[in-house]
Every structure is written in C-alpha cells, then in structure tokens.
Amino acid sequence: MAGLGTWSLTGAALIILLLPRSLEECGHISLSASIVRLGDPITASCIINQNCSHLGPDSQILWKLGAELQPGGRQQHLADGTQKSTITLPHVNHTWDTLSCCVRWGNSLQILDQAELQAGNPPAKPHNLSCLMNLTTNSLICQWEPGPDSHLSTNFTLKSFKSRDKCQTEEDSILDCVPAEAQSRCSIPRKHLQLYQSMSIWVQAENALGTSRSPQLCLDPMDVVKLEPPTLWALASPHPHCLQLSWKMWKSSLYIEQKCELRHQPQLGEASWALVDSLPSNTFQHELCGLLPSTAYVLQMRCIRWPLPGHWSDWSPRLELTTAQQAPIVRLDTWWQQRQLDTRTVDVQLFWKPVPLVEDSGQIQGYLVFWKPSGQDGAARQLPLCNTTELNCTFHLPSEAQEVDLVAYNTAGTSHPTPVVFLDSRGPPLVRLYTMARDPHSVWVGWEPPNPQPHAYVIEWGLGPPSPSGSNKNWRMEHNGSISGTLLEDNIRPFQLYEITVTPLYQDTMGPSQHIYAYSQEMAPSQTPELHLRHIGKTWAQLEWVPQAPELGKSPFTHYTIFWTNAQDQSFSTVLNASSHGWVLHGLEPGSLYHVHLMATSQAGAINSTSLTLMTLALEESEMHILLGLFGLLLSVICLCGAAKFCCRPSRKNPLWPSVPDPAHSSLGSWVPTITVEETFQLPSLRDPGMPPITKITVLEEEEKKPGPWESNDSSGTCGLPTLVQAYVLQGDPRAPSTQPQPQSGTSDQVFYGQVLGSPTSPGPGHYLRCDSTQPLLGGFTPSPKSYENLWFQTSPLETPDPLLPNQEDDCVFGPLLDFPLLQGLQVHGVEGLGGF
C-alpha cells in the first residue's frame, strides 16, 4: 500500500507537468492584423483542435489582454468538430501587448495560445531638409528632422534623381542613401553627383502602417557649397592704432570666387564684436585700423562663395594680436617737498600723478626727471635725476635750482615735458579749514577760499600721530580754484586719525599749508577705568574710579553704568554721567557678598571693567540687642493699644474698673452711702443747679500689697503719697461760664481742692486728705485748713469718728473714710458736720 501511494503521487505530478504543454498544442490564435493604428479595433479568433482529448465538448474559451480578462467572446462549434471563439477589441490603446486564448482547468486558467499586438501611427513627413556641398569631403551632405515618433520601426531613405527644367523632368536616378541607425543625415558621394546640374532630393519614411515623404528639394550641388574657413596670419604694422592681417584659403576653394568677413574685439573687457565685411579674397591681406594702442585683440574670419549662391563657412580659429604702443599723451600733476640739507644742497621729494588727455593715451612704462643747469645746452638733459616706474622720486639739487622737467615714456617715445617750478610761500592763506565725516570710508574737507582766489589746491592726507610722518601719504590736485571743499575717499578707513593738509596754489606763488586732524569714524576706547572700593559699611559701599585720559581716534565716554549682584543673583544697576568718578551703593544687606562691575559707554560702543567683589560689615551684638528690644517694645505697644481699645468699648457690660461719673457736673452733696453688702450709690443729677463746681478732683486707690516696680512716690502739691494712686482729673463745669467768681469765705460751702485715699470696693475705711492750698477751703480767712478740720470718717454713720493724728513725715492728715469717701468728704465742714451723715 505504501508503494501504491508513492506511485500515485509521482503520477499526479507527471500529469500536472505534462498537461499544460499538451493543452497549449490544442489551440491556435489568428488575428485580423498584427499591427494596427493606435485606437483602432482588432478581431481575433481562437480555434481548438478536435483531436484535443483533454478538453470536453463544453469547455469555455476565455480571452485575456495582458493580465485582464476581456468580455465579449463568441464561442461556436464548427461542423468538423472544432471549437472556435471570436472576440473584437474596440480600441487598442497600447503600443505593444499580449492577447491570450485560455480555458478553465480546475480552479485556474490555462493558456492555449498567445499573440502579440502592436499599435502605432503611420510615419510623419520629414521636414527641414537641407543639403550642403562639402568640398573637403567632396560629397553632398543632407540632413532633416524626422518628426514625431510613430511608435513603430521606421526606415528613412534619401532619394534623388538628376533632372532638367528645374526638376520638372526626371532623367537619371541616383542611388538611394540610407542613413545609419538613429541618425537623420546622409551623404551622397561626389561620384554619384553631376556638378552644375539640378537634382531633386527628398526623404522617404516607411513603417508597417504606411509611407510618407518630405517636400522635394531642387538644387545644384555647387549652389549649396560650404567653404572651409581661411587661416589668419599677422603682419607687422608701424601704426599704433592698426593691425596688419593676411590669410590663406583652402586648396579646394582656390578657384571659387568668394568674399570674407572679419570680426574683432578687445581681449579684455566686455566690448561686443566689431564686424568688417566684404573683404575681397583675392588680396589675401588687410590693414585693420581704428584700434586702441597697446591693446590685445581677438580676430576671426569666414568666407562665402560670391557672387554665386553658397553657404558661409565656419569662423576661423581665434587669432590674438596686440596693437603697437604710442608715446604717452598725459598731463602730469606734480607736488613736492623740500628739506635744506646744508647751505648748498636741498633734498627734494617729487610726487606726480598722470592724467590721460585722450582715451588711448598710451601705456606708460616709466618716468624721467631732468635738471638742466643754467648756461648749459640741451645735452645736459640726457642725464636724468630719476628713472623710475613709481609715482615719486627723491633727489638732491643745488640751492639755486628752481625748476626740473618730468616726462613719461614707453617704447614708442616720451610725453611732452612737464616743468616743475619750486614756488615760494608768499601767497595768502586759507581763511578757514574744517572737516566732516560722511561715512566710515570718506571725509569731507572744506575751506573758505582766500582773496585773491587761487587757481588750484593741493590736498594731502595720511595717518596722523603716532604713525611716522610721510607714511602712506596720499595727495591730489584740484585745478578748480573756485571750489570750497572736496571729498576724500582713497585709503580712508574708520577708527583712524588722519592728518589733512591743504595748500593754495597761485599763478607764481603758493600760500602756506594748513593742517587739520579728522576721523572718518571713531572707535570705542580700548580700556575702562579700574573700579576700586574706598569705604564700606554695613549697608553701603563707596566706590571710585579714575577716568582715563582721552585717546586719539577713540570716542569719549558718554556715561557709566554700575551693576551689582547679591548672593541671590538679584541684579541692580544705576547710570551715571561721564563726569562722575565715584558712587555710593545704598540699601545693601549687612554681612552680604556683592559682585560689582563698571561699564563705560561711548558713541562707538561699550566696554566693561574688571569685576569687583566686596562684602558688607556685619551687625554687632549690642546693635542686635537694641534692634530686638525696639522690636519687642513696638510689639508691646501694639498689644496694649489693642487691649485698651477692646476694653474701652462702650458696648461692654462689665468693665475692668468701675465707671466714675464726672464730679464737675454732679451734685456731690446728695450722694449718701447705704449700708449693704454690695454698696450702691445714687448719683445726683448732673443738671442740679445747686452743685458747686469742682476745680480738681483726684481719686487715689490704695493697694494693700507691696508697691510694684511701676509704683511712684511722687506727691501732689505738698502731699506725700506713700502708695500707688490712680488719678482722675476733671477741670471745671462744662456748663459753667469761662470766668466764675471766687466764692466768699464764710458764706459758701464749696470745696475747691481735696484728695481721697482708698478704694471704694475695699472693706476698710477710706481716708480723706486736705492739702495746703492758697485757696480757702473752709469759711475762715486762713490760707490753709487746720489740722482738726481733717477728720477720720467711719464706715457707718452710727460710729463715732476717731481723730486722725497728723503724720510727721507728711503734711497731710489721713483719716477713715466712708464707703464712698469722695462723695461724703466733700460735704464736710468740720467735726460738727458728721452728725448729718
């Protein structure tokens, strides 16, 4: 059984491998056309052979174009037993595709046959056909443009024939010319051509869908001849503005009449080409003039058959030539400086600048300075003082020499000599000289012209001190004597000090030179003042610095800024004017570290000084105690004020101390004590008209405990008070007039002064005290009361009062009081008055 299973698997695999091949031999596809136009329809049929035993009579034939199934197939059974399926594709939109005939085999499609479909367009007409007769290769070369791609393989053929009557009559045909692959040009050899005879030429394009041809070209091969360019040669020319040329033609075109064109342009610069046309070819020479001297030029030439038709040759290879030099045509502006070496010799430094008088003034190769002593002929001038290529020269002259000659030269000769006359400074000076900086690279220098007006000015400028004198000196001459200033732009740099000198020149003399210093732009100072600590305290620090001396070329400081930072990185700053040289920092914390630095600012920028670190002094221990004590005292005062406000509120029912009425507005005589456990007193009406006014009433509370630290031993008037008292002072009657008559003695019961000792709430008796006074307290005329008039009051009216013995230490007599001694004692006139209580 195992062997049978193995054979079954092998047989099935062989059937699967052999089955597709056998199915492919069963069908065949035929097309209505293998190549069609893009977008045209195509019809295909697939026929299944009747001998194909693997397919049943009802097998369905399917069509695929590429990878997509195509609907619309019509299947039929033919009489000979074959099956046929036909499909029409309405549009072929791909230039190449595959059409397949398939049947279903199991769950998949099996291809029976395949066919390739090609689609494209007929060939477009070639255009722009042109031909040239090349005498070098001795062939007719034609080229064209094939037009748009047809997507099909297209063959091009260059066809031609000999003809007469302007190509109306065809005579002998010429061998077709087939171009190389992917090329659009073809050459007809000279042996197939007949010169000076017309021929008709066209291009034919052919592919599977059709044929097209270009427009016909009728020409004579010699009418389209293209000559080779000539070869240029240079000849020597004695004129500085001209170039002498010659050229040589190719041998094949020597017997052809032609004309040539020459173009040239300067080798340097952006000038365009200049054209010289209609040069005859038989002369083979030409002189080109009107050029710049000492200038390199590039030249090219081309030729064409003339007067018969033809084509221009290519431009010849470039030829580079330089025109000859001419003697310089310049004006030399001169300036000089003299220094007396001794009594017989003068050191002269001569400066000059060439100013071209014409556009092509000639190249200058050097300069010569001559001096001809008086009384000698011109031969002495051949010994130059200087021969240099620079624009200055230094030489020695005798003191009597007043003039030298300066010339510029090159290989073509020398310029006209320029006399240099050493003038004396006898002319008037400039009225005023000033400068103004326009931008960092220019300085305006102005002046007021003197009277008479000069005919020229010499302006010199160069770096000022500390640069060495005469280094990098610049100068120029202004020939317009009416101007009042000029702009200096050469070699002007910012942040540099320049010394500017202006000298007026007159006809036979010159004025004295005037100097001025100027900057085009100032720079920030190189360093700032160094910051120092002068004094320091607990909450302040005094800083100082020494301002720097002004520097040349450096912008002065406009202000200072002090920055300081504490240990918590809190930053502070203040701005000071430029005249400041010190500052005191206030509001610092004691015993704290600070970082301070100074920044100096000018119009050109800002720069920082070195940083300074300082620490304020710490507070002493005594100062700490004082501060803590003040803080505690302030806190106590606040608490006391709060407590007093709380306790004195009128809405409280139980005050901390008894409420005492105003005695000055009460009738004290009607206050009678009652004998109860808790004493209750009836106060008289404040509106009692019989109540005498009380000038001063003092209530003293006597404590049984020992005096505390806040107790006082002071006395009122002449009374000594041994215990702590609490005083209430009431002045006058608010309803009484401001001036009250003094009561008469013996007729008034008023008490004008009195003191009561004791507490109204204490169980013991109180003390009533009368003190010495200048006012009569009783009816007598004595200024002070007697000792017996000070009585001891009992707490009960039934008890007999005991007299109070006078105290030797005090001037007052203490005696027992009633429960409310203030109200009772003031009604007492003597001992006999006690019975009334």
Side-chain angles (χ1 to χ4, degrees):
M1 293 298 293
L4 181 59
T6 303
W7 182 88
S8 300
L9 291 175
T10 304
L14 290 175
I15 292 174
I16 293 174
L17 290 175
L18 295 176
L19 184 59
R21 183 175 180 86
S22 61
L23 287 176
E24 287 180 359
E25 296 177 353
C26 293
H28 176 68
I29 292 179
S30 60
L31 300 174
S32 60
S34 59
I35 299 176
V36 296
R37 283 177 176 265
L38 278 172
D40 287 356
I42 189 173
T43 301
S45 61
C46 180
I47 299 176
I48 300 177
N49 193 349
Q50 60 180 351
N51 297 328
C52 186
S53 59
H54 301 286
L55 298 176
D58 297 330
S59 298
Q60 183 182 5
I61 301 175
L62 302 176
W63 294 91
K64 288 179 64 178
L65 181 62
E68 298 180 0
L69 287 173
Q70 299 294 320
R74 301 184 301 276
Q75 188 170 343
Q76 57 182 338
H77 295 273
L78 300 180
D80 56 358
T82 60
Q83 297 183 43
K84 182 179 180 181
S85 177
T86 304
I87 189 173
T88 299
L89 302 177
H91 303 286
V92 179
N93 297 323
H94 300 279
T95 59
W96 182 90
D97 215 334
T98 302
L99 184 64
S100 304
C101 175
C102 309
V103 295
R104 291 195 177 275
W105 183 265
N107 295 327
S108 62
L109 292 178
Q110 177 60 45
I111 298 176
L112 301 179
D113 195 9
Q114 285 184 335
E116 291 184 356
L117 294 180
Q118 280 187 287
N121 295 311
K125 289 183 179 182
H127 57 283
N128 289 344
L129 175 63
S130 62
C131 298
L132 295 175
M133 183 64 190
N134 193 319
L135 298 180
T136 303
T137 60
N138 205 15
S139 61
L140 183 65
I141 302 174
C142 298
Q143 59 183 9
W144 61 89
E145 294 183 14
D149 187 12
S150 65
H151 306 291
L152 297 175
S153 177
T154 303
N155 298 322
F156 294 92
T157 305
L158 182 64
K159 293 182 173 293
S160 59
F161 60 87
K162 299 175 184 179
S163 66
R164 294 184 182 273
D165 301 331
K166 296 182 179 180
C167 301
Q168 298 297 324
T169 304
E170 180 178 350
E171 292 187 350
D172 298 332
S173 62
I174 301 175
L175 187 64
D176 294 342
C177 180
V178 179
E181 186 178 359
Q183 287 191 358
S184 299
R185 57 185 302 171
C186 196
S187 298
I188 302 176
R190 170 68 179 82
K191 62 182 179 180
H192 301 301
L193 299 176
Q194 185 174 356
L195 300 181
Y196 305 104
Q197 183 179 353
S198 299
M199 60 183 298
S200 179
I201 303 175
W202 72 93
V203 179
Q204 178 176 299
E206 184 179 2
N207 64 12
L209 296 180
T211 302
S212 64
R213 55 184 293 174
S214 67
Q216 185 174 338
L217 186 63
C218 183
L219 55 85
D220 182 349
M222 289 304 295
D223 290 342
V224 293
V225 66
K226 182 179 180 180
L227 303 176
E228 290 293 331
T231 303
L232 287 176
W233 301 90
L235 299 177
S237 176
H239 306 291
H241 299 278
C242 299
L243 289 175
Q244 190 75 23
L245 301 175
S246 68
W247 58 88
K248 181 181 179 181
M249 296 295 183
W250 285 88
K251 186 181 296 185
S252 59
S253 59
L254 286 177
Y255 304 104
I256 300 177
E257 293 186 27
Q258 52 189 300
K259 69 176 182 178
C260 300
E261 287 182 349
L262 178 68
R263 67 178 184 178
H264 60 88
Q265 72 173 160
Q267 187 174 8
L268 299 178
E270 299 180 355
S272 59
W273 289 97
L275 187 63
V276 180
D277 56 356
S278 301
L279 294 177
S281 62
N282 52 2
T283 58
F284 302 108
Q285 285 186 1
H286 180 70
E287 186 176 20
L288 182 63
C289 293
L291 306 178
L292 298 177
S294 303
T295 305
Y297 282 88
V298 177
L299 301 98
Q300 288 181 307
M301 180 178 280
R302 67 178 182 177
C303 298
I304 189 175
R305 184 184 179 215
W306 186 260
L308 298 176
H311 290 277
W312 282 104
S313 68
D314 296 331
W315 288 104
S316 66
R318 296 160 58 98
L319 175 65
E320 297 180 2
L321 295 178
T322 302
T323 54
Q325 292 184 347
Q326 68 174 354
I329 306 174
V330 293
R331 183 192 73 218
L332 297 174
D333 291 337
T334 59
W335 182 241
W336 70 91
Q337 291 180 355
Q338 290 183 341
R339 183 169 58 95
Q340 191 77 34
L341 296 179
D342 50 44
T343 58
R344 304 170 63 180
T345 308
V346 177
D347 181 76
V348 179
Q349 187 175 13
L350 182 64
F351 306 91
W352 58 85
K353 284 186 177 181
V355 180
L357 298 178
V358 294
E359 184 178 358
D360 52 345
S361 60
Q363 183 179 4
I364 298 176
Q365 295 180 343
Y367 301 91
L368 296 173
V369 179
F370 297 97
W371 174 63
K372 182 179 68 172
S374 60
Q376 296 186 9
D377 55 6
R381 191 177 175 222
Q382 301 301 322
L383 300 176
L385 296 175
C386 291
N387 185 358
T388 179
T389 58
E390 303 294 331
L391 295 178
N392 61 84
C393 177
T394 302
F395 50 87
H396 293 167
L397 282 178
S399 299
E400 65 272 9
Q402 297 295 326
E403 183 179 348
V404 295
D405 289 338
L406 174 66
V407 297
Y409 69 88
N410 58 20
T411 57
T414 62
S415 66
H416 294 289
T418 300
V420 182
V421 181
F422 304 120
L423 303 175
D424 296 330
S425 298
R426 294 177 301 177
L430 298 175
V431 177
R432 186 172 70 95
L433 184 64
Y434 62 93
T435 60
M436 183 187 308
R438 291 289 183 88
D439 55 67
H441 297 280
S442 66
V443 173
W444 171 265
V445 55
W447 58 82
E448 292 185 10
N451 191 15
Q453 182 176 290
H455 75 274
Y457 299 93
V458 175
I459 300 96
E460 302 174 84
W461 68 95
L463 293 177
S467 300
S469 178
S471 62
N472 297 325
K473 203 78 170 181
N474 299 273
W475 71 278
R476 78 163 177 241
M477 182 176 291
E478 294 289 346
H479 291 274
N480 185 3
S482 63
I483 65 173
S484 59
T486 184
L487 185 64
L488 306 180
E489 297 179 295
D490 297 336
N491 298 327
I492 298 295
R493 293 177 297 171
F495 316 126
Q496 297 291 339
L497 176 65
Y498 288 92
E499 181 183 6
I500 303 173
T501 304
V502 180
T503 306
L505 300 180
Y506 301 92
Q507 188 64 33
D508 297 323
T509 184
M510 67 180 184
S513 301
Q514 294 189 7
H515 308 271
I516 193 171
Y517 294 92
Y519 301 91
S520 64
Q521 184 178 354
E522 294 179 335
M523 66 185 303
S526 57
Q527 57 184 354
T528 56
E530 187 174 355
L531 191 62
H532 299 282
L533 177 64
R534 186 172 183 180
H535 298 293
I536 192 169
K538 301 178 180 62
T539 61
W540 58 272
Q542 184 178 4
L543 307 174
E544 66 176 2
W545 60 88
V546 179
Q548 299 290 335
E551 301 179 70
L552 291 176
K554 306 299 178 62
S555 178
F557 291 133
T558 57
H559 61 274
Y560 298 101
T561 307
I562 298 179
F563 299 89
W564 67 95
T565 307
N566 57 17
Q568 290 76 30
D569 290 335
Q570 294 178 333
S571 298
F572 310 91
S573 64
T574 184
V575 180
L576 308 175
N577 55 35
S579 61
S580 304
H581 55 82
W583 183 253
V584 178
L585 303 180
H586 293 284
L588 306 181
E589 296 181 3
S592 299
L593 189 67
Y594 288 88
H595 298 281
V596 187
H597 77 271
L598 177 70
M599 183 179 73
T601 306
S602 66
Q603 292 183 353
I607 184 171
N608 291 335
S609 68
T610 56
S611 179
L612 179 65
T613 302
L614 54 89
M615 176 174 283
T616 55
L617 302 179
L619 293 177
E620 298 179 359
E621 185 176 359
S622 60
E623 294 176 342
M624 293 294 294
H625 293 165
I626 292 174
L627 291 178
L628 291 176
L630 292 175
F631 178 75
L633 181 60
L634 178 62
L635 186 61
S636 302
V637 171
I638 293 174
C639 294
L640 289 175
C641 293
K645 182 177 181 181
F646 176 77
C647 296
C648 296
R649 290 172 59 185
S651 60
R652 291 185 54 85
K653 297 181 179 179
N654 298 319
L656 298 180
W657 53 81
S659 178
V660 179
D662 186 358
H665 302 85
S666 302
S667 178
L668 301 181
S670 62
W671 291 7
V672 180
T674 58
I675 304 173
T676 57
V677 179
E678 293 184 2
E679 300 170 350
T680 303
F681 299 96
Q682 297 295 329
L683 297 179
S685 174
L686 293 177
R687 302 184 180 272
D688 187 0
M691 177 65 191
I694 300 174
T695 303
K696 179 176 181 181
I697 299 175
T698 303
V699 180
L700 304 178
E701 290 185 355
E702 181 178 333
E703 301 281 348
E704 292 183 359
K705 60 181 181 179
K706 293 182 179 182
W710 298 99
E711 295 177 354
S712 175
N713 293 327
D714 297 337
S715 62
S716 176
T718 59
C719 301
L721 304 180
T723 59
L724 176 67
V725 297
Q726 182 177 0
Y728 296 87
V729 179
L730 301 176
Q731 296 290 342
D733 187 358
R735 297 180 291 106
S738 59
T739 58
Q740 187 171 350
Q742 184 73 19
Q744 300 295 328
S745 62
T747 62
S748 176
D749 296 336
Q750 296 178 352
V751 179
F752 293 94
Y753 188 86
Q755 292 183 347
V756 181
L757 300 180
S759 174
T761 59
S762 61
H767 299 275
Y768 173 74
L769 176 64
R770 286 185 176 178
C771 300
D772 293 335
S773 175
T774 58
Q775 297 179 354
L777 299 180
L778 300 177
F781 295 95
T782 60
S784 298
K786 303 300 181 177
S787 60
Y788 61 86
E789 294 177 348
N790 291 330
L791 301 181
W792 178 273
F793 292 92
Q794 302 297 328
T795 60
S796 174
L798 301 178
E799 297 179 359
T800 302
D802 297 333
L804 180 63
L805 298 178
N807 193 347
Q808 301 297 329
E809 298 177 357
D810 302 323
D811 294 334
C812 300
V813 179
F814 294 87
L817 301 176
L818 297 178
D819 291 337
F820 206 119
L822 176 63
L823 302 178
Q824 299 176 5
L826 294 180
Q827 294 290 339
V828 177
H829 295 276
V831 177
E832 64 277 6
L834 290 175
F837 288 91

